Amino acid sequence: MTGEMVKACVIGYPAKHSRSPKLHGYWLEKYAIAGTYSAEEIAPEEFTGFINTLAERGYAGANVTMPHKDMALALSEPDARAVAVGAANTLWFENGVLKSTNTDVEGFLGSLDTAAPGWDTRTSSAIVLGAGGAGRAVILGLIERGVQEVHVVNRTLSKAVELQERFGPVIKPAGWDALAALMNGARLLVNTTSLGMHGEPPLPVTTDAMARDGVVADIVYVPLRTQLLIDAEAQGLATANGLDMLLHQAVGGFELWFGTRPEVTAELYDLLAADIEGGG
Ligand code: ATR
């Protein structure tokens, strides 16, 4: 029986607050799969050794979170998405070779497709706040869907300029002082910074001037509904939150390790939402 158990984990530092074990555990039970998904707290200096013995430890693969996404890319054979983003968050074995991808891209796209079906047919220009790893995954998703102009607004302008070098002239770097003008008639705004998260300053942006069929996405999920999303909803805009993205990014890894493509449902959302709201 235990010989058939498929094992996966999330590797992070810290790892104990990760919601991924609860999420994958729910799917394992729902689909009656003989598998486990645990959290492995691994310090940066131990990460390489851990990855090099992943198979020996019995793992079919893993999710990788802060601060290991860059090293995960370097230690595996990445697909085109992981290379383009410059970070990997999902690892699996194929014929003994450790492969990687970045499912934050499909996590973001899945959350938008659910919140605002057809958004990509109406959106030629988008605003992305932040130029870190999460921002790069969001930007790649937008480019894949044909968005022609991505205004990257960042505190450190040089990082937005670096993204133009990475992704090409589709990227329009800007400072925060340019944001108010960009918001006029905007169809899509994505926050990829930590602003608006519990304990962080609020995001200095108002959504009043956005197009009436505009969409606002926020990668923050504690709180579930940031002030940005509360304001956007009050104006009748479609919204996607960080939990929506978290759930959609988990689908690909689960399918790779356990062989079943799981469904993101309202019941699963409510289970994780209760956990987040309870501070668990
Ligand atoms: P992640 O991988 O989660 O995207 P990151 O690489 O540390 O994390 O990126 C965090 C992003 O949030 C950056 O764009 C950062 O801006 P800088 O490049 O100027 O550092 C942005 N950010 C974080 N705290 C911020 C703050 N207080 N004000 C403005 N931007 C902030």
Side-chain angles (χ1 to χ4, degrees), residues 159-249:
K159 285 204 206 160
V161 173
E162 278 169 30
L163 293 192
Q164 192 176 45
E165 285 154 20
R166 175 179 282 270
F167 293 108
V170 60
I171 304 297
K172 313 289 178 201
W176 282 90
D177 52 346
L179 183 58
L182 289 171
M183 290 297 284
N184 253 321
R187 282 233 152 74
L188 177 58
L189 172 73
V190 187
N191 175 42
T192 75
T193 74
S194 50
L195 294 175
M197 195 189 288
H198 265 318
E200 299 282 335
L203 201 56
V205 58
T206 49
T207 49
D208 316 35
M210 285 182 75
R212 293 179 63 91
D213 59 354
V215 185
V216 179
D218 197 335
I219 66 157
V220 171
Y221 63 84
V222 184
L224 275 177
R225 289 165 77 242
T226 55
Q227 194 59 47
L228 173 71
L229 296 187
I230 292 170
D231 293 347
E233 276 168 27
Q235 285 166 238
L237 303 175
T239 62
N241 68 24
L243 178 56
D244 295 319
M245 292 190 218
L246 178 74
L247 299 180
H248 285 279
Q249 72 74 33

Side-chain angles (χ1 to χ4, degrees), residues 22-51:
K22 193 169 199 106
L23 157 54
H24 288 279
Y26 169 88
W27 280 332
L28 286 169
E29 197 179 325
K30 176 173 175 176
Y31 298 107
I33 291 169
T36 64
Y37 185 103
S38 54
E40 292 274 14
E41 188 155 292
I42 305 295
E45 61 273 19
E46 290 161 12
F47 184 72
T48 301
F50 190 87
I51 292 299

